């Protein structure tokens, strides 16, 4: 045993140690070479590609060193592996190098996609506003979309690479491609609604049609957006009811709170009122509301009387417009209505409302018909409800 170890074991140990040492030196050399080849300004962007190239060089060298160590060890046992190595070398020259190139290129393509997709999405995504909140929203939506697109691209690259490698090792991929086509068609028919939901959700997020916290109207439902992802949108209406809507059902999305909102009122006044005075009062009330300590910060443009909007049956309608911050138009509009009503009461401005006259049949006879104005008063009346004259006189 000792004689065998002295004769062969020392060479085996030296081969293993030498192979390991050369592998570590190769790994260090590959890393340093990649760092020198890539400019400093691009190292952060190309970090994944640089890492992949380093591992490719190291792996190739490691395989060669492992074969060399194996040749030394087997030769010590008296086994001639030269013919086997010759066959391996021939196969590597014919197919192995091409397979290695396919793997390296596939990895590099995936690394490029992983590095560029987030930046392309970031440039394509529509962002509202400025400042820290806008940057955080941009980063969040970019991360969400990148997590969908990048793995999809990776799966596609991986499938193509696997079929190319199988073709190189002698596997007939024609049946596999046919089977994959059949499976793809079956999945397409079975998941077409899901795919439609995902595609619609992708464009909703990409175009920033609405986001969490917006008040929207989609698929015939109005509500506050509590969740919006690639597959569905969750709304909560004024009654507190939660509605879950697949994104594929969103044909038209109406966003009531994107960027800014508007106060839009028609104020009715009697035909006998001075319209210039009415508009002056409305503008004064709108300015006071803008200067209010509580409501002022919610208003971006003071509510003002814009024009005479309509000659209605019993009133003249004045159009009032103003702009507010998102989600604040309802609170500002309600307060504006109350203040305008108080101002009209103080100034004696009449806001018309429907009048209803009740007639209780013929009871009371002619005594209920006023001789002065011919108005019919309710039974039992002593005075005319229209002109005040005594009935029956």
């Amino acid at each position: 045993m000792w004689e065998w170890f002295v004769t062969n074991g020392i060479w085996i140990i030296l081969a293993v140690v030498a192979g390991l040492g050369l592998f570590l030196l190769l790994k260090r050399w590959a890393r340093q070479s990649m760092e020198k080849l890539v400019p400093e300004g691009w190292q952060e962007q190309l970090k994944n590609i640089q890492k992949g190239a380093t591992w490719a060089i190291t792996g190739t060298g490691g395989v060669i060193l492992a074969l060399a160590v194996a040749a030394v060890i087997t030769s010590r046992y008296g086994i001639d592996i030269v013919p086997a190595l010759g066959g391996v070398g021939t196969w590597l020259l014919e197919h192995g190098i091409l397979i290695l190139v396919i793997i390296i290129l596939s990895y590099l393509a995936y690394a490029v996609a992983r590095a560029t997709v987030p930046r392309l999405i970031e440039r394509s995504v529509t962002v509202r506003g400025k400042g820290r909140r806008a940057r955080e929203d941009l980063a969040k939506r970019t991360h969400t979309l990148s997590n969908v697109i990048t793995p999809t691209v990776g799966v596609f690259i991986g499938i193509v690479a696997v079929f190319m490698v199988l073709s190189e090792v002698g596997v007939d991929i024609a049946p596999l491609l046919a089977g994959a086509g059949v499976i793809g068609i079956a999945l397409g028919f079975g998941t077409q609604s899901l795919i439609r939901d995902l595609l619609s959700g992708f464009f909703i997020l990409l175009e920033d049609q609405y986001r969490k916290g917006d008040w929207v109207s989609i698929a015939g439902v109005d509500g506050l957006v509590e969740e919006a992802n690639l597959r569905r949108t969750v709304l909560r209406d004024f009654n507190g009811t939660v509605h879950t809507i697949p994104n594929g059902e969103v044909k038209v999305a109406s966003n009531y709170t994107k960027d800014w909102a508007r106060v839009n009122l028609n104020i009715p006044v009697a035909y006998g009122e001075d319209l210039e005075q009415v508009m002056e009062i409305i503008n004064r009330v709108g300015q006071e509301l803008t200067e209010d300590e509580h409501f002022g910060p919610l208003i971006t443009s003071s509510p003002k009387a814009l024009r005479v909007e309509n000659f209605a049956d019993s009133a003249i309608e004045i159009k009032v417009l103003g702009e507010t911050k998102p989600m604040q138009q309802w609170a500002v509009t309600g307060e504006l209505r109350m203040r305008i009503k108080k101002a009209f009461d103080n100034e004696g401005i009449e806001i018309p409302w429907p009048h209803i006259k009740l007639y209780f049949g013929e009871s009371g006879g002619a005594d209920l018909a006023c001789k002065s104005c011919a108005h019919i008063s309710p039974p039992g009346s002593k005075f005319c409800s229209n002109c005040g004259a005594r009935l029956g006189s």
Side-chain angles (χ1 to χ4, degrees):
M1 184 68 181
W2 175 253
E3 292 179 358
W4 182 90
F5 179 77
V6 172
T7 305
N8 303 302
I10 295 177
W11 289 102
I12 294 175
I13 294 174
L14 289 175
V16 173
V17 172
L20 182 60
L22 290 174
F23 176 76
L24 294 176
L25 289 174
L26 176 65
K27 183 178 179 181
R28 182 179 179 183
W29 173 83
R31 184 176 65 253
Q32 292 177 349
S33 299
M34 289 298 103
E35 291 176 354
K36 291 179 180 180
L37 287 174
V38 179
E40 290 187 12
W42 291 86
Q43 286 187 359
E44 184 64 27
Q45 290 82 355
L46 301 178
K47 180 173 64 176
N48 293 327
I49 298 177
Q50 181 180 343
K51 184 178 179 181
T54 301
W55 277 106
I57 296 173
T58 305
T60 304
V63 171
I64 296 174
L65 290 174
L67 291 174
V69 172
V72 172
I73 293 174
T74 54
S75 65
R76 294 287 91 188
Y77 284 95
I79 301 174
D80 186 10
I81 64 169
V82 173
L85 289 177
V88 171
T90 302
W91 186 88
L92 288 176
L93 289 174
E94 293 180 355
H95 304 285
I97 295 177
L98 185 57
I99 291 175
L100 182 62
V101 170
I102 292 171
I103 294 173
I104 293 174
L105 292 179
S106 300
Y107 179 83
L108 292 179
Y110 176 69
V112 170
R114 192 166 59 177
T116 57
V117 165
R119 288 168 176 78
L120 293 175
I121 293 176
E122 186 175 346
R123 294 181 180 181
S124 303
V125 167
T126 305
V127 182
R128 306 182 213 167
K130 298 179 180 179
R132 179 181 176 183
R133 183 177 180 182
R135 291 193 299 269
E136 290 178 351
D137 181 66
L138 175 63
K140 181 179 179 181
R141 292 168 56 217
T142 301
H143 178 72
T144 301
L145 296 175
S146 298
N147 284 346
V148 175
I149 296 178
T150 304
T152 302
V153 173
V155 170
F156 176 77
I157 293 173
I159 292 174
V160 173
V162 168
F163 278 111
M164 294 177 69
V165 170
L166 290 176
S167 178
E168 285 300 317
V169 298
V171 177
D172 185 9
I173 63 173
L176 295 177
L177 290 174
V182 172
I183 294 174
I185 293 173
L187 290 176
F189 279 111
T191 62
Q192 56 182 342
S193 61
L194 176 61
I195 294 173
R196 183 183 63 180
D197 294 342
L198 294 178
L199 288 176
S200 298
F202 174 80
F203 285 106
I204 287 172
L205 294 178
L206 182 67
E207 299 170 357
D208 196 19
Q209 296 178 15
Y210 53 81
R211 66 175 70 166
K212 183 178 180 180
D214 286 346
W215 188 273
V216 300
S217 175
I218 57 175
V221 179
D222 291 9
L224 184 71
V225 179
E226 291 197 341
E227 182 183 351
N229 53 40
L230 286 171
R231 194 186 69 82
R232 64 176 187 169
T233 299
V234 180
L235 302 183
R236 187 182 294 272
D237 63 19
F238 268 125
N239 296 325
T241 306
V242 175
H243 304 268
T244 301
I245 304 170
N247 289 329
E249 300 297 324
V250 180
K251 308 302 181 184
V252 178
S254 302
N255 193 333
Y256 295 97
T257 54
K258 186 172 183 178
D259 297 332
W260 54 273
R262 173 166 284 167
V263 174
N264 185 3
L265 278 177
N266 285 347
I267 305 296
V269 296
Y271 273 90
E273 302 296 342
D274 185 349
L275 296 183
E276 291 185 356
Q277 180 188 8
V278 170
M279 290 187 176
E280 182 181 347
I281 293 172
I282 292 174
N283 291 340
R284 187 187 71 225
V285 172
Q287 186 61 36
E288 291 174 354
L289 185 63
T290 304
E291 297 172 357
D292 184 83
E293 179 180 353
H294 175 70
F295 289 96
L298 309 181
I299 300 173
T300 58
S301 177
S302 177
K304 295 180 181 178
L306 182 65
R307 60 177 176 266
V308 175
E309 181 69 11
N310 185 31
F311 290 133
D313 292 337
S314 59
I316 296 178
E317 296 180 355
I318 308 296
K319 172 66 71 175
V320 179
L321 294 180
E323 294 179 4
T324 71
K325 292 182 177 179
M327 290 290 291
Q328 304 301 327
Q329 66 268 39
W330 298 295
V332 173
T333 301
E335 182 68 16
L336 181 64
R337 285 195 185 99
M338 184 179 70
R339 295 193 181 202
I340 289 177
K341 175 63 169 62
K342 289 182 178 180
F344 281 3
D345 290 344
N346 293 335
E347 298 290 338
I349 304 297
E350 180 185 355
I351 299 178
W353 72 92
H355 293 72
I356 300 176
K357 295 181 179 180
L358 301 178
Y359 178 64
F360 295 95
E362 299 297 333
S363 176
D367 293 338
L368 297 179
C370 179
K371 296 181 179 180
S372 299
C373 64
H375 178 74
I376 304 299
S377 299
S381 301
K382 295 182 179 181
F383 298 93
C384 178
S385 59
N386 184 49
C387 66
R390 179 180 292 275
L391 297 176
S393 60

